[in-house]
Amino acid sequence: KVNYIKDPLNWADLLAACALPFRFVTLVTTSEVLDMGLCLILPLVRFLKLLRYFEVFRLLIVAFQNSIEALPVLTYFIAVLVLFSATGIYIAEGNNIPTIQHSMWLAVVTMTTVGFGDYVPRSTGGYIIVSVLTLVSVWFLALPVGIIGHEFTCSWKARTHVLLIDRTQKCLQKWGYDSGSLSK
């Protein structure tokens, strides 16, 4: 039972089962939030249950697990980049950007190349900082995609091995074995 709960692919089953009591509550009361959750979110959760039938999805999970060590360092550098650029934008823009939080918003929107346009630089210094931020952030945001892509390629090349290990682990767990019992 504990192994069933530990498996992330079974969490969709648990959420779908937990929704049954909420359906009975909606018969008695009228709650728009609960109705929306049951009508919009629950079908998505049930759709996630299909992931267990795609063994290749395990390759994507393995790729993320293999690349997770490099991602905190990149996240740290992106956070530092946001803080330094937001400070520079705030100082360069003066009265154009009302608070440092708005400057951080401008930095994040610029880094993700969304560019909402609610806050834009007006001074030459602001334009230079935002332009440099755009170039540097494209490089930094492309790194995690490359790392995860490389790991997925490696997982795909070794897919038969990875999927065999996954199937073997599931069978051993089903029969009541774990890593401690195999070493005895």
Side-chain angles (χ1 to χ4, degrees):
K1 293 179 183 180
V2 175
N3 290 335
Y4 182 83
I5 294 172
K6 285 182 181 179
D7 188 7
L9 294 176
N10 293 329
W11 295 350
D13 285 338
L14 294 173
L15 286 174
C18 289
L20 188 61
F22 290 118
R23 288 207 184 261
F24 291 123
V25 171
T26 56
L27 294 174
V28 178
T29 63
T30 56
S31 171
E32 290 181 24
V33 175
L34 196 56
D35 263 354
M36 264 193 350
L38 290 174
C39 292
L40 299 176
I41 297 172
L42 189 61
L44 295 175
V45 170
R46 287 186 175 161
F47 189 69
L48 288 175
K49 289 172 58 172
L50 293 175
L51 286 178
R52 78 179 72 210
Y53 301 111
F54 296 105
E55 284 187 336
V56 181
F57 180 71
R58 179 72 182 148
L59 298 177
L60 189 61
I61 292 173
V62 168
F64 276 110
Q65 287 173 342
N66 290 344
S67 60
I68 200 76
E69 291 179 16
L71 297 181
V73 175
L74 295 171
T75 305
Y76 172 76
F77 279 118
I78 289 172
V80 168
L81 187 61
V82 166
L83 292 175
F84 276 109
S85 60
T87 305
I89 292 169
Y90 185 70
I91 292 171
E93 287 299 309
N95 293 333
N96 184 31
I97 306 289
T99 63
I100 191 72
Q101 289 86 357
H102 291 92
S103 178
M104 289 178 75
W105 170 252
L106 175 61
V108 169
V109 166
T110 301
M111 287 181 71
T112 57
T113 64
V114 173
F116 285 119
D118 48 356
Y119 295 101
V120 294
R122 303 262 187 241
S123 66
T124 306
Y127 276 115
I128 291 171
I129 292 171
V130 169
S131 299
V132 170
L133 175 63
T134 302
L135 292 173
V136 171
S137 63
V138 166
W139 296 330
F140 270 104
L141 292 177
L143 285 174
V145 173
I147 291 170
I148 294 170
H150 172 72
E151 289 297 331
F152 182 75
T153 302
C154 292
S155 296
W156 185 259
K157 287 179 181 176
R159 68 183 172 268
T160 54
H161 180 70
V162 170
L163 293 176
L164 178 65
I165 289 174
D166 188 50
R167 287 185 203 127
T168 306
Q169 285 175 343
K170 284 181 182 177
C171 287
L172 289 174
Q173 286 176 352
K174 188 178 10 174
W175 297 330
Y177 294 105
D178 61 354
S179 60
S181 61
L182 293 177
S183 63
K184 293 178 183 179

